[in-house]
Amino acid sequence: MEIIERRESQVRSYCRSFPTVFTRAAGSFLYDGDGREYIDFFAGAGALSYGHNNPELKERLLQYIGGGGITHSLDMATEAKCQFLDALERIILRPRDLDYRVMFPGPTGTNAVEAALKLARKVTGRTGVVSFTNGFHGMTLGSLAVTGNAQKRGGAGIPLTNTVRMPFDGYFGEDVDTIEYMATLLGDSSSGVTAPAAFIVETVQAEGGVNPASWPWLERLQALAREYGALLIVDDIQVGCGRTGPFFSFEPAGLRPDIVCLSKSLSGFGLPLAVTLIRPDIDIWQPGEHNGTFRGNNHAFVTAAAALEHFWCDSPLSQSTAAKAAIMSSRLDILATARGAEVRGRGLIQGLVFDDASLAARISRHAFARGLVIETAGPRDEVLKLLPPLTMNVDTMTTGLDLIEDSIGAALDETARSRASRHNGAKNAHERHAHWSNGNGALGVSP
Ligand SMILES: *Cc1c(COP(=O)(O)O)cnc(C)c1O
């Protein structure tokens, strides 16, 4: 840990929230150098939906490496890539009647978003992209321009342009229909808002504080995009790959996005892999027009194909996710009622929202001390974000929820104690003041 504090850039973040040196992981558990076990309710920010080091995936990867399989290949044709594309087509796209070209934009989520934005601008000849309040799409300049968070945007150092921010579902409260609001602006040639190249949306805003958009809102957003000749980009990087139940988070709304971004849990093993899925008729790239050295992560192809075979063929993960989500949300409802919080979420991304914005971070700290890794989200980090692996068993999840309950108690006790000591402090100051003003007239001067 000392080497990290001495040598790693100030920009580091999660190693500050979870200050220990982790040494190994299995399934829903992380272990540190002191042999402590942690239940993982963070799951690599959604990159480990199938848990750590899943044995089937690991075995396939070890076999592949042992057999001298290709590791690096730019975007040359490899057997691993063919097998991944075949699995994606056969297990995911065809059964859902979805026809997408698969673009490999580079290994991380933000690469998939950058490619989507570029393509939308190229296809429509327009420059503006509508994104939403509290949206999160990545840290490179294009993705950052469609991200809301001021602290993250501040890191850019240049103006983030060619985007238009619109209110997400529910942003102004239940009574304001934000689709109507956008339709009014777009329908008025004097509003100053012109038809964009695309709308980019998360069906559940994850980093933005676990805000699910309603199904009707998403359907109407798609209709609005179509009406104005704009593309609909669904950023399914965090809540895709089964996080909310179905493989694509938008399936229950029956959406047919023009472009879909996937990454995080796509490789299934925590290896970097991202794809930009493109409606075939708008796949108008010139060969090599968007390029990159690491667009063929063959190890990730191997584990991704294995994950699709293992989790999405016969007994779809979606059923067990729905069952676990029901258990989680009913427990959270009870906790929230008792503690004056709010529960938000869909499937196995759930948030516990507190009025006192400092509470979520303190609960996370107490949870870590008790052996639970859990992060916060939202504009003021006021949301405790529950993101366990989808494969976590119910007993472990229940233990995790127990630890959250204890941690909430500990954080609230802390609040009560600090209030009491502030109160006592104020009382003492008052007494001191009275003493000094009565005793020697040194008004307002503290001893
Ligand atoms: C994490 C995330 C990204 C960015 O992915 P990186 O791999 O961190 O670049 C983009 N969009 C959403 C919704 C995400 O959760």
Side-chain angles (χ1 to χ4, degrees):
M1 199 68 192
E2 201 235 337
I3 181 73
I4 287 174
E5 280 154 18
R6 187 169 73 241
R7 195 53 64 185
E8 191 178 350
S9 160
Q10 294 297 343
V11 80
R12 67 193 189 272
S13 68
Y14 295 121
C15 54
R16 298 177 195 267
S17 318
F18 308 115
T20 192
V21 179
F22 294 103
T23 48
R24 79 202 159 79
S28 301
F29 298 94
L30 283 156
Y31 301 89
D32 69 12
D34 301 327
R36 285 203 67 190
E37 179 184 271
Y38 299 84
I39 297 177
D40 192 356
F41 263 38
F42 182 37
L48 294 163
S49 284
Y50 314 124
H52 296 266
N53 295 324
N54 176 281
E56 278 82 10
L57 307 193
K58 184 166 78 180
E59 194 44 46
R60 291 269 199 107
L61 182 58
L62 289 174
Q63 269 171 19
Y64 182 82
I65 295 173
I70 301 270
T71 298
H72 184 268
S73 55
L74 293 156
D75 72 350
M76 287 188 269
T78 61
E79 192 180 26
K81 175 152 97 176
C82 294
Q83 284 170 357
F84 167 69
L85 286 172
D86 174 70
L88 188 71
E89 179 181 85
R90 181 167 41 82
I91 301 165
I92 303 298
L93 298 178
R94 287 231 170 101
R96 290 165 180 76
D97 196 25
L98 290 169
D99 186 13
Y100 287 118
R101 293 272 175 80
V102 182
M103 172 180 180
F104 298 108
T108 73
T110 197
N111 299 141
V113 172
E114 294 288 351
L117 297 174
K118 258 196 200 178
L119 183 65
R121 289 174 171 134
K122 185 176 165 70
V123 166
T124 59
R126 301 172 184 168
T127 56
V129 171
V130 168
S131 62
F132 293 95
T133 49
N134 287 312
F136 178 87
H137 301 287
M139 287 294 108
T140 51
L141 294 177
S143 310
L144 198 52
V146 288
T147 290
N149 185 285
Q151 191 228 358
K152 302 280 189 282
R153 292 175 68 84
I158 55 162
L160 298 168
T161 57
N162 294 305
T163 60
V164 183
R165 200 82 35 196
M166 289 289 175
F168 191 68
D169 190 14
Y171 186 72
F172 292 123
E174 276 178 18
D175 298 334
V176 179
D177 178 347
T178 61
I179 298 288
E180 198 60 49
Y181 173 100
M182 287 185 271
T184 304
L185 288 170
L186 287 166
D188 175 1
S189 60
S190 248
S191 69
V193 179
T194 53
F199 292 80
I200 182 163
V201 71
E202 298 157 90
T203 64
V204 181
Q205 295 184 321
E207 299 304 307
V210 193
N211 309 312
S214 74
W215 302 130
W217 189 87
L218 290 166
E219 285 164 36
R220 291 168 63 221
L221 179 66
Q222 175 172 277
L224 189 69
R226 302 269 141 91
E227 186 181 341
Y228 286 93
L231 303 186
L232 178 67
I233 304 170
V234 173
D235 178 348
D236 231 5
I237 289 171
Q238 187 157 160
V239 298
C241 299
R243 176 50 58 185
T244 63
F247 186 83
F248 293 110
S249 69
F250 53 81
E251 287 175 43
L255 299 190
R256 320 290 285 182
D258 303 290
I259 302 179
V260 182
C261 301
L262 287 178
S263 181
K264 292 218 164 85
S265 275
L266 182 61
S267 82
F269 202 66
L271 292 169
L273 179 64
V275 295
T276 307
L277 303 178
I278 304 168
R279 214 179 72 203
D281 61 295
I282 59 166
D283 182 19
I284 58 164
W285 291 111
Q286 298 292 317
E289 193 178 6
H290 187 92
N291 219 325
T293 308
F294 291 106
R295 286 170 307 128
N297 186 349
N298 287 282
H299 293 173
F301 288 150
V302 169
T303 55
L308 295 179
E309 299 279 358
H310 190 71
F311 292 107
W312 294 97
C313 268
D314 304 328
S315 58
L317 202 57
S318 18
Q319 285 154 19
S320 73
T321 300
K324 289 173 198 172
I327 295 169
M328 177 182 277
S329 58
S330 63
R331 178 74 185 272
L332 290 182
D333 282 339
I334 296 169
L335 264 177
T337 310
R339 300 302 196 174
E342 183 199 336
V343 184
R344 293 201 293 246
R346 178 172 286 150
L348 279 177
I349 175 164
Q350 302 269 339
L352 211 44
V353 192
F354 296 91
D355 280 339
D356 173 357
S358 75
L359 212 49
R362 287 191 286 122
I363 295 166
S364 161
R365 224 178 36 243
H366 284 291
F368 184 69
R370 286 166 172 72
L372 178 73
V373 174
I374 186 164
E375 248 298 21
T376 59
R380 297 174 301 138
D381 275 330
E382 74 280 26
V383 184
L384 190 71
K385 186 168 110 179
L386 289 79
L387 204 73
L390 306 177
T391 50
M392 181 176 280
N393 69 39
V394 173
D395 282 349
T396 306
M397 193 175 84
T398 305
T399 307
L401 289 163
D402 292 342
L403 292 174
I404 290 175
E405 181 165 2
D406 293 349
S407 307
I408 295 174
L412 287 173
D413 285 350
E414 198 175 69
T415 309
R417 270 202 308 280
S418 84
R419 276 217 190 98
S421 78
R422 263 206 310 281
H423 177 75
N424 286 339
K427 216 166 78 189
N428 291 342
H430 183 74
E431 278 160 8
R432 272 200 308 276
H433 179 79
H435 169 78
W436 279 89
S437 56
N438 290 342
N440 53 22
L443 262 174
V445 180
S446 23

